[in-house]
Each structure stands twice: as C-alpha cells, then as structure tokens.
C-alpha cells in the first residue's frame, strides 16, 4: 500500500500543477515549505517579470525557487539565468528530447563510459528510500573508442535526455515514495583509473556536460562522492574549493580507496552495486537496469513530456474552449465523410 502523501506546501500559482509532495524534508532556507515572506515575494516578482517577457513554460514555484536559490535570491540574476536557460532549451531542442531521442548505442557506449541512475540513497529521515543515485565511472572513459560508436553531440543529447527524465519521472516518483519533496540526486564519481594523462582527452566533453548541469539544471546536486581519488587529488581539490560556492563545497566528499563505510552510510547496501561495496546485482547488470521508484507501479506515473504534441494541443485547447466545443485537434481527428 502506498504511503500517505504528506501535507503539500501551499502553492497558489496557476502553474503549480503537482502530483507529488511539495515540502522539502529539511528546513533549509529558501526550500519549498521553508521560505520566508520575502522569498515568496521574490518568486512572484520573478514570475511576473518573466510573464511580461512572454514566457509561459516552467514558471511553477518549485522551478523558480531553484533558479533563485542558485543566484542567492537575486531576482535580476535569476531572471538572466532563466532566460539563458530557455534560449538554450530552444536551440538544443530540449523539450522534445525525452519523448523522441533514441540512444540505441547506449549498451556499447557504456563499455567506455558507464554513466547511469540506479535506485536511491537514504532519505534525510533515515533508511526510507530517498534521492536517485547517479553513477559515473570516469576512469573507464575512452573517447577514441566511443567516437567510433557515437558522437559527442549524441552523448550530450543523451545527457540532457537523462536530466529531463530526472525531473520527470525519477524525482516525482522518489518524492511520492519518500512522502517529501526530493529535488536533488546523490552522485557517485568513480575516479579509479583516472590519471593526469587522461585529463586532456576527456576535458572538452566533461566541461560541456558541467556547463549544462550548472547553468540549465540548477540545484539538482544533493551530494557528490568522488571515490577512488588518486594520490594528490585531495591537495588539488583543496585549491579548487577556493573558487567554488561554499554551499557546493559542503556537498562534495573526496574519498580514496577506503570509501566504502562512508558511502554505505549514504546508500543502503541493497541499493549499491556490488563493485562499490554494496550487495545489489541487478539481472543483466546494474548499469543498464535503471532500477528505482520510477520503475515501480506503486510510485511511477506517466511523465508529462510523454504526451504527444497532439495530446498537448487537445488538453490546452479543450481547457480554453470548454467541454461542449470541438477543438481544432478534435475536428482534424474526425474521419472525413
């Protein structure tokens, strides 16, 4: 039996159409359910200014709060970030990717760059299932071999497709199961095999991937575990930390080969693949299983992007015209006499 959905954060915008909990599990400033009147006013200000510019998509409260948090609740800066993101989405064709992009070479690509979502970590309230776990094995990257199978552009399109699927259906399903709003994921980056000589060959792709993550999908990182960090990595990272936001630094944990205890404190053994010290051995391999609440009928729902353009047009026009009037889409669907 599904757990009862906890009280929703009172959201008043016409854009706030959610079918999952909307209260963050921890009372952190600026997070849903824990905002101040001043922060709420900034959400409304940002939304109003974007509406005046003609924007009608992604103006819901949860999305705008993420952009505001990413810019320290500076409305002007968050507005610029949002506009830049929308421009990129249009140019990249992001809105249609989750529905239309097919990454048929995925299984072959994973031999040279495994990157996948797999089950969940522990929630803030204990052992209950929490956020999606995302895993990358950076030491396995072989771009020369991969580019015989795919292209950098298709790799980035797959990355963006997975970000879209993180937003829906992965995080909503995890939120339903947890009973609280979950907006971030727990990332594990395996550095085993990564050396100085391999850095130049992968830098270009990783840099592009990082730009997409930071600029267009803000506030999606919950925790990042860098495991099997090579000798000297911690020293280098200590210098890099000086250039990062303190909030981001607090999310990053650099661990050497003795990472298992700390990692298992975050991810239940039954959810962590055997190769990382857990007990999970999915049939066909964890890397390609995509197991998690988003695959469980009790928690999963059809993502909104799964609607075809025709269905979306029907819904919008039907709402505007009322139940007694035929829409253009309905008329077009009628068989000719």
């Amino acid at each position: 039996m599904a757990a009862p959905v906890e009280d929703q954060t009172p959201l008043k915008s016409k854009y706030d159409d959610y079918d999952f909990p909307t209260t963050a599990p921890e009372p952190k400033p600026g997070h849903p359910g824990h905002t101040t009147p001043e922060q709420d006013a900034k959400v409304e200000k940002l939304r109003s200014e974007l509406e005046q510019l003609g924007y009608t998509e992604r103006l819901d409260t949860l999305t705008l709060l993420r952009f505001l948090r990413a810019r320290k609740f500076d409305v002007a800066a968050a507005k610029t970030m949002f506009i830049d993101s929308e421009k990129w989405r249009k140019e990249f064709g992001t809105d249609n990717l989750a529905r239309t992009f097919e990454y048929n070479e995925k299984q072959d690509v994973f031999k040279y760059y495994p990157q996948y979502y797999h089950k969940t970590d522990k929630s803030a309230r204990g052992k209950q299932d929490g956020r999606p776990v995302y895993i990358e094995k950076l030491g396995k990257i072989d771009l020369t071999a991969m580019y015989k199978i795919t292209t950098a552009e298709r790799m980035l399109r797959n990355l963006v497709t997975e970000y879209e699927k993180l937003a829906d259906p992965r995080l909503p399903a995890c939120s339903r199961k947890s009973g609280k709003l979950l907006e971030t994921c727990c990332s594990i980056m395996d550095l085993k095999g990564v050396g100085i000589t391999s850095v130049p060959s992968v830098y270009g792709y990783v840099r592009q991937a990082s730009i997409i993550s930071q600029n267009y999908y803000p506030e999606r990182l919950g925790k990042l575990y860098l495991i099997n960090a090579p000798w000297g990595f911690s020293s280098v990272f200590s210098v890099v930390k000086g250039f990062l936001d303190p909030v981001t630094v607090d999310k990053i944990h650099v661990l050497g080969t003795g990472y298992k205890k700390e990692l298992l404190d975050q991810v239940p053994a039954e959810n962590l693949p055997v190769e990382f010290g857990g007990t999970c051995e999915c049939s066909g391999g964890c890397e390609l299983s995509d197991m998690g609440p988003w695959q469980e009928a009790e928690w999963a729902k059809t993502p909104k992007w799964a609607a075809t353009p025709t269905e979306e047009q029907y819904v919008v026009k039907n709402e505007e015209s009322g139940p007694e009037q035929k829409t253009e889409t309905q008329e077009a669907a009628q068989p000719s006499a």
Side-chain angles (χ1 to χ4, degrees):
M1 180 180 294
V5 174
E6 297 194 2
D7 291 341
Q8 303 279 86
T9 300
L11 303 171
K12 301 178 181 179
S13 169
K14 64 182 181 181
Y15 302 100
D16 295 342
D17 177 22
Y18 308 119
D19 57 5
F20 51 86
T22 55
T23 299
E26 298 179 73
K28 293 181 178 180
H31 287 253
H34 312 289
T35 54
T36 65
E38 181 182 6
Q39 290 170 336
D40 293 337
K42 290 188 175 183
V43 171
E44 293 304 321
K45 178 176 173 59
L46 175 58
R47 180 183 288 124
S48 176
E49 291 184 6
L50 290 172
E51 283 181 323
Q52 290 174 29
L53 293 174
Y55 292 101
T56 59
E57 300 291 331
R58 288 168 285 279
L59 297 184
D60 62 284
T61 300
L62 299 184
T63 297
L64 296 185
L65 273 174
R66 287 194 297 106
F67 277 87
L68 283 164
R69 290 199 303 274
R71 291 297 179 262
K72 310 298 184 187
F73 276 85
D74 181 323
V75 174
K79 178 180 173 182
T80 297
M81 185 184 192
F82 184 94
I83 292 172
D84 288 345
S85 175
E86 289 297 303
K87 180 175 182 291
W88 167 80
R89 290 183 69 91
K90 183 176 181 180
E91 293 173 348
F92 202 81
T94 303
D95 286 348
N96 293 322
L97 283 181
R99 183 173 60 245
T100 63
F101 182 72
E102 295 183 6
Y103 200 47
N104 298 321
E105 65 269 37
K106 180 176 181 176
Q107 188 166 352
D108 291 328
V109 170
F110 271 33
K111 296 175 185 176
Y112 307 108
Y113 188 6
Q115 47 180 166
Y116 58 100
Y117 288 92
H118 183 265
K119 298 191 175 180
T120 57
D121 70 350
K122 297 176 184 177
S123 72
R125 296 181 296 169
K127 295 185 178 180
Q128 189 175 12
D129 284 325
R131 301 169 293 198
V133 173
Y134 175 72
I135 299 172
E136 281 196 16
K137 296 165 70 173
L138 295 174
K140 291 280 188 177
I141 294 180
D142 184 340
L143 289 184
T144 301
M146 277 196 302
Y147 289 161
K148 294 178 181 178
I149 303 168
T150 190
T151 65
E153 180 184 359
R154 284 185 62 78
M155 287 174 62
L156 287 173
R157 286 190 176 280
N158 177 62
L159 176 75
V160 172
T161 299
E162 292 302 319
Y163 270 127
E164 292 295 298
K165 291 179 179 178
L166 173 65
D168 188 13
R170 291 190 179 104
L171 285 171
C174 290
S175 297
R176 295 182 196 108
K177 189 168 187 176
S178 171
K180 286 287 187 178
L181 174 66
L182 299 174
E183 298 185 283
T184 63
C185 60
C186 174
S187 296
I188 301 170
M189 301 290 182
D190 184 10
L191 302 179
K192 185 177 181 179
V194 173
I196 297 299
T197 57
S198 65
V199 172
S201 64
V202 302
Y203 176 74
Y205 171 78
V206 172
R207 179 175 179 274
Q208 284 182 289
S210 298
I211 288 173
I212 288 174
S213 172
Q214 294 175 26
N215 295 346
Y216 311 132
Y217 296 94
E219 293 290 296
R220 286 303 192 201
L221 176 64
K223 287 192 176 182
L224 170 59
Y225 290 89
L226 297 166
I227 64 174
N228 287 314
W231 182 87
F233 185 88
S234 295
S235 298
V236 173
F237 183 70
S238 65
V239 175
V240 175
K241 284 196 299 186
F243 301 97
L244 298 176
D245 185 288
V247 176
T248 300
V249 172
D250 287 343
K251 298 176 180 179
I252 301 174
H253 304 261
V254 179
L255 307 174
T257 55
Y259 63 83
K260 292 181 182 178
K261 182 181 183 303
E262 187 167 343
L263 194 58
L264 285 169
D265 284 341
Q266 184 67 39
V267 183
E270 62 271 22
N271 288 1
L272 189 66
V274 168
E275 66 176 308
F276 300 117
T279 60
C280 187
E281 295 182 279
C282 293
S283 176
C286 293
E287 294 178 357
L288 297 170
S289 70
D290 194 30
M291 290 301 296
W294 52 92
Q295 296 284 11
E296 300 170 10
E298 190 173 11
W299 313 109
K301 293 187 179 182
T302 303
K304 293 180 179 179
W305 50 256
T308 64
T310 299
E311 288 170 341
E312 291 173 347
Q313 184 181 15
Y314 172 83
V315 170
V316 172
K317 291 191 174 183
N318 198 45
E319 287 176 350
E320 293 175 350
S321 59
E324 299 302 322
Q325 301 180 42
K326 285 186 178 180
T327 67
E328 294 174 14
T329 304
Q330 287 174 301
E331 291 174 351
Q334 296 292 330
S336 58

